[in-house]
Amino acid sequence: MGGVEDENGPATKRMKLSSGVLKGVVDGLSSVRSVPNSLEDLMARPLVIEGDDEVVGSKGVIRKVELVRIITEALYSLGYDKSGAFLEEESGIPLHSSVMNQLIQQVLDGQWDESVATLRNICLLDENIVKLASFLILEQKFLEFLDEDKVLDALKTLRMEIAPLAINNARVHELCLSILSPTKCAYVGSANQSTTRAKSRSMLLEELQKLLPPTVMIPGRRLEHLVEQVLISQRDACMFHNSQDKEISLYKDHKCGRDQIPSRTLQVLQAHTDEVWFLQFSHNGKYLASSSNDCSAIIWEVDSHGELCLKHKLLGHQKPVSSVSWSPDDSELLTCGSEENVRRWDVSSGECLHIYEKAGNGFVSCGWFPNGNWMCFGTNDKTICMWDLEGKEIDCWKGQRTLRISDLEVTKDGKQIISICRESAILLLDREAKVERLIEENQTITSFSLSRDNKFLLVNLLNQEIHLWNIQEVKLVAKYRGHKRTQFVIRSCLGGLDQAFVASGSEDSQVYIWHKCSGELIDALAGHSGAVNCVAWNPTNSHMLASASDDRTIRIWGLNDMKMKQKGPAIHCNGVHYCNGRA
């Protein structure tokens, strides 16, 4: 009664629950037992089992019944149907109540009216859940009627059963359209609906599983989910986890050693003739760009062995080069002179492709939009402007938008421009929505760095603190202390595997590294003989860190156990190699 197929219907549509029917699909729901006929038995409550309060484990927090049911579900989901059934029998703890088993079987058999009636026998306190679950079942009934070309039956179901539930009117409207235009039925519905008209019945059970309380219908693959949570939690809590190759095992608690953190100088680059102010790796990790008080910028190439060699020295600026910015495809580089012009360079040839100037103003910062065709500049009149590659101004935001010494970032979607707009505030400018938000600090901001996922902003402050902000919620989430900053602009960055670490320069000539989540200081790397102005972590090599210093050098840091290059100068790379920068 209420089914969409008769006894002579297609065999593929008449499903009976058997071992393996839902294997890997509904994760354990194949444990359906014989169903008593009495109304009392059919009234499903959250499963009450003798010894329900019994706990296991040394902490006394694991309820035995829950553990056994979850293990049973895991056995079925892994395909061990006999073992799952045996565990139910031996423990006396069923995976589901008899009425829940009946509902599962009715759904698989396409007994839609009976399914809705059985659903109401499950003692759910939230009537809205009952309505939502009924909607899903009746929607499946409607779609299968359409598959059978039973349009009148489908229309009757829509009018007499689905619409009276008075929920999800937008979806009801879509179902109406699917009757009028059957060709639209393939894409009508929720985002996870299959491209066929009727979702498979096992997929319907998965959707019901998400709606019903876990005490009634255990979430699929729950044990796997819990184990994954534990492993990920251990990994995230590990202060030194910094390698994809580091195996995480169920057999023991996860713990990495300090040897996963770059802490040894592998290379010293000495091509600049004055203080090195800024560093940035390309997105593909194959290049490093540096800029200096010597009015030059340098493009360094990372070879297959992780050694950096000078590729191009970029000359032409008349003032110190304050910053650089890689194009989205890493084929071009912007260099920004201090309150001067911005130059665009071809990375392959080292040729200057264009010089951008604004009459009466100098630029203080630069950045790219994700399409690679537009650029963003900050000027010393506190304006932010958008230009195309030919130098035509596309848009301009005047007023207190940036400072003379300022960083500038554009989010990956091209919607937000980020800049220091006041001494103690950072502007989050949504250029499309024309909405401005502020990150406000109590101290003067000296620099900031945007995370690769565009969710976090690392902010350096005058009071020798670094703050981590969630820019989606505009919420301060962490603070880092220990480095020294009294008078210079010191820059920090996020880096390492999954950007799990914070690194910063310091005026005491050291590089500081913290664990991002815990805020705990991991190491202070000695080697430079002057203030460390900027650090950069290679985005594709979690074991490569670069630092730039007033001592005119750039240091490349790696793991302690990495093979050292030959001591002394290497002509082809225009750098000097040391076995240990701490010496």
Side-chain angles (χ1 to χ4, degrees), residues 423-424 441-447 459-467 483-490 507:
E423 284 191 348
S424 60
E441 292 278 10
N442 294 323
Q443 294 285 328
T444 297
I445 299 167
T446 58
S447 64
V459 181
N460 284 57
L461 301 174
L462 193 66
N463 65 346
Q464 303 186 103
E465 284 187 359
I466 302 171
H467 288 180
H483 69 299
K484 307 301 180 187
R485 199 227 75 85
T486 58
Q487 54 183 324
F488 303 126
V489 173
I490 300 296
E507 289 183 14

Side-chain angles (χ1 to χ4, degrees), residues 157-296:
T157 299
L158 186 62
R159 285 179 174 176
M160 306 300 294
E161 298 178 84
I162 297 178
L165 292 174
I167 59 172
N168 204 346
N169 291 332
R171 178 60 177 152
V172 172
H173 181 67
E174 289 176 347
L175 295 178
C176 289
L177 291 177
S178 71
I179 296 177
L180 298 173
S181 303
T183 55
K184 293 185 178 181
C185 200
Y187 55 84
V188 165
S190 59
N192 63 351
Q193 184 176 331
S194 67
T195 55
T196 59
R197 286 184 178 181
K199 292 168 288 186
S200 70
R201 294 170 183 177
S202 56
M203 288 296 292
L204 171 60
L205 282 174
E206 283 194 339
E207 293 190 28
L208 289 173
Q209 193 177 58
K210 296 172 186 177
L211 273 179
L212 297 176
T215 52
V216 173
M217 198 173 185
I218 293 176
R221 302 189 180 276
R222 178 61 180 166
L223 184 59
E224 291 179 29
H225 177 69
L226 290 173
V227 173
E228 280 181 342
Q229 274 189 324
V230 171
L231 292 178
I232 291 170
S233 177
Q234 287 188 3
R235 183 197 66 190
D236 291 346
C238 176
M239 285 183 57
F240 307 114
H241 187 77
N242 191 34
S243 177
Q244 292 280 15
D245 300 329
K246 196 70 174 179
E247 198 172 279
I248 301 178
S249 172
L250 289 174
Y251 295 131
K252 61 181 181 179
D253 290 344
H254 176 72
K255 188 177 182 180
C256 293
R258 190 180 292 270
D259 59 350
Q260 292 297 304
I261 306 301
S263 57
R264 186 176 188 179
T265 298
L266 302 183
Q267 206 173 349
V268 180
L269 308 178
Q270 296 179 315
H272 283 293
T273 58
D274 208 330
E275 300 166 353
V276 188
W277 286 358
F278 195 88
L279 288 173
Q280 191 178 87
F281 277 102
S282 60
H283 304 93
N284 59 19
K286 295 180 179 180
Y287 302 102
L288 174 70
S290 60
S291 65
S292 168
N293 192 41
D294 66 5
C295 304
S296 77

Side-chain angles (χ1 to χ4, degrees), residues 519-571:
E520 192 167 341
L521 181 64
I522 291 176
D523 210 345
L525 312 180
H528 283 290
S529 59
V532 180
N533 300 309
C534 185
V535 292
W537 218 304
N538 191 315
T540 61
N541 181 353
S542 61
H543 298 153
M544 179 180 286
L545 177 68
S547 57
S549 172
D550 280 356
D551 65 9
R552 305 182 179 187
T553 70
I554 298 166
R555 284 183 176 251
I556 306 301
W557 306 84
L559 302 187
N560 265 318
D561 61 355
M562 290 186 68
K563 294 181 180 179
M564 298 297 105
K565 306 293 189 296
Q566 182 181 354
K567 288 185 180 181
I571 298 173

Side-chain angles (χ1 to χ4, degrees), residues 114 198 244 299 356 539:
E114 291 85 345
Q244 292 280 15
I299 297 175
Y356 303 97

